[in-house]
Short mmCIF file of all heavy atoms in Angstrom, two decimals:
data_model
loop_
_atom_site.label_atom_id
_atom_site.label_comp_id
_atom_site.label_asym_id
_atom_site.label_seq_id
_atom_site.Cartn_x
_atom_site.Cartn_y
_atom_site.Cartn_z
N GLN L 192 85.48 91.84 88.54
CA GLN L 192 84.76 93.15 88.34
C GLN L 192 84.37 93.36 86.90
O GLN L 192 83.27 93.91 86.67
CB GLN L 192 85.72 94.31 88.80
CG GLN L 192 86.25 94.22 90.17
CD GLN L 192 85.36 95.11 91.16
OE1 GLN L 192 84.21 95.29 90.92
NE2 GLN L 192 86.01 95.54 92.17
N LEU L 193 85.21 93.10 85.93
CA LEU L 193 84.87 93.25 84.53
C LEU L 193 83.73 92.35 84.12
O LEU L 193 82.78 92.88 83.47
CB LEU L 193 86.13 92.98 83.70
CG LEU L 193 85.94 93.07 82.20
CD1 LEU L 193 85.42 94.44 81.71
CD2 LEU L 193 87.13 92.66 81.46
N VAL L 194 83.82 91.08 84.31
CA VAL L 194 82.74 90.18 83.79
C VAL L 194 81.38 90.45 84.50
O VAL L 194 80.38 90.56 83.73
CB VAL L 194 83.08 88.69 83.96
CG1 VAL L 194 84.36 88.31 83.15
CG2 VAL L 194 83.26 88.27 85.43
N ASN L 195 81.42 90.77 85.74
CA ASN L 195 80.14 91.14 86.41
C ASN L 195 79.62 92.45 85.92
O ASN L 195 78.30 92.55 85.70
CB ASN L 195 80.33 91.24 87.96
CG ASN L 195 80.63 89.84 88.56
OD1 ASN L 195 80.27 88.82 88.01
ND2 ASN L 195 81.19 89.89 89.76
N GLY L 196 80.48 93.35 85.64
CA GLY L 196 80.07 94.64 85.05
C GLY L 196 79.45 94.49 83.62
O GLY L 196 78.48 95.09 83.29
N LEU L 197 80.10 93.67 82.85
CA LEU L 197 79.57 93.45 81.50
C LEU L 197 78.19 92.73 81.53
O LEU L 197 77.36 93.12 80.67
CB LEU L 197 80.58 92.55 80.72
CG LEU L 197 81.89 93.22 80.25
CD1 LEU L 197 82.85 92.15 79.83
CD2 LEU L 197 81.66 94.22 79.22
N VAL L 198 78.00 91.81 82.48
CA VAL L 198 76.73 91.16 82.58
C VAL L 198 75.65 92.16 82.99
O VAL L 198 74.62 92.16 82.42
CB VAL L 198 76.83 90.02 83.60
CG1 VAL L 198 75.41 89.48 83.97
CG2 VAL L 198 77.67 88.88 83.16
N GLU L 199 75.99 93.02 83.86
CA GLU L 199 74.97 94.08 84.30
C GLU L 199 74.67 95.02 83.21
O GLU L 199 73.54 95.61 83.25
CB GLU L 199 75.62 94.85 85.48
CG GLU L 199 75.72 94.01 86.78
CD GLU L 199 76.44 94.73 87.92
OE1 GLU L 199 76.97 95.86 87.72
OE2 GLU L 199 76.56 94.13 89.04
N LYS L 200 75.52 95.16 82.18
CA LYS L 200 75.22 96.03 81.05
C LYS L 200 74.42 95.25 80.03
O LYS L 200 74.13 95.82 78.95
CB LYS L 200 76.56 96.50 80.46
CG LYS L 200 77.34 97.62 81.27
CD LYS L 200 76.56 98.85 81.32
CE LYS L 200 76.44 99.59 80.03
NZ LYS L 200 77.82 100.17 79.59
N GLY L 201 74.10 94.00 80.25
CA GLY L 201 73.26 93.25 79.33
C GLY L 201 73.97 92.31 78.40
O GLY L 201 73.34 91.75 77.52
N HIS L 202 75.30 92.14 78.51
CA HIS L 202 76.03 91.29 77.62
C HIS L 202 75.94 89.84 78.12
O HIS L 202 75.79 89.52 79.28
CB HIS L 202 77.52 91.70 77.55
CG HIS L 202 77.68 93.13 76.98
ND1 HIS L 202 77.57 93.41 75.68
CD2 HIS L 202 78.07 94.24 77.63
CE1 HIS L 202 77.75 94.71 75.51
NE2 HIS L 202 78.08 95.22 76.65
N VAL L 204 77.97 86.87 78.81
CA VAL L 204 79.29 86.68 79.18
C VAL L 204 79.56 85.24 79.69
O VAL L 204 78.88 84.82 80.64
CB VAL L 204 79.84 87.70 80.19
CG1 VAL L 204 81.30 87.53 80.47
CG2 VAL L 204 79.47 89.16 79.74
N LYS L 215 78.55 86.62 88.20
CA LYS L 215 77.31 86.78 87.54
C LYS L 215 77.28 86.23 86.08
O LYS L 215 76.30 86.06 85.48
CB LYS L 215 76.92 88.25 87.49
CG LYS L 215 76.67 88.87 88.92
CD LYS L 215 76.38 90.32 88.79
CE LYS L 215 76.18 90.92 90.19
NZ LYS L 215 75.88 92.39 90.18
N ASP L 346 84.32 99.00 92.38
CA ASP L 346 82.99 99.58 92.80
C ASP L 346 83.18 100.45 94.03
O ASP L 346 83.42 99.83 95.06
CB ASP L 346 82.02 98.37 93.07
CG ASP L 346 80.66 98.84 93.52
OD1 ASP L 346 80.41 100.07 93.51
OD2 ASP L 346 79.87 97.97 93.90
N VAL L 528 84.11 100.78 88.15
CA VAL L 528 83.83 99.58 87.33
C VAL L 528 83.07 100.00 86.07
O VAL L 528 83.35 99.54 84.93
CB VAL L 528 83.03 98.56 88.19
CG1 VAL L 528 82.52 97.42 87.20
CG2 VAL L 528 83.85 97.89 89.17
N VAL L 532 84.17 99.21 82.33
CA VAL L 532 83.36 98.38 81.45
C VAL L 532 83.05 99.17 80.14
O VAL L 532 83.11 98.60 79.04
CB VAL L 532 82.02 97.98 82.13
CG1 VAL L 532 81.01 97.39 81.13
CG2 VAL L 532 82.30 96.95 83.26
#
Side-chain angles (χ1 to χ4, degrees):
Q192 298 265 31
L193 175 60
V194 296
N195 289 341
L197 287 168
V198 170
E199 289 173 359
K200 289 292 292 290
H202 298 288
V204 184
K215 295 178 181 179
D346 178 7
V528 169
V532 170

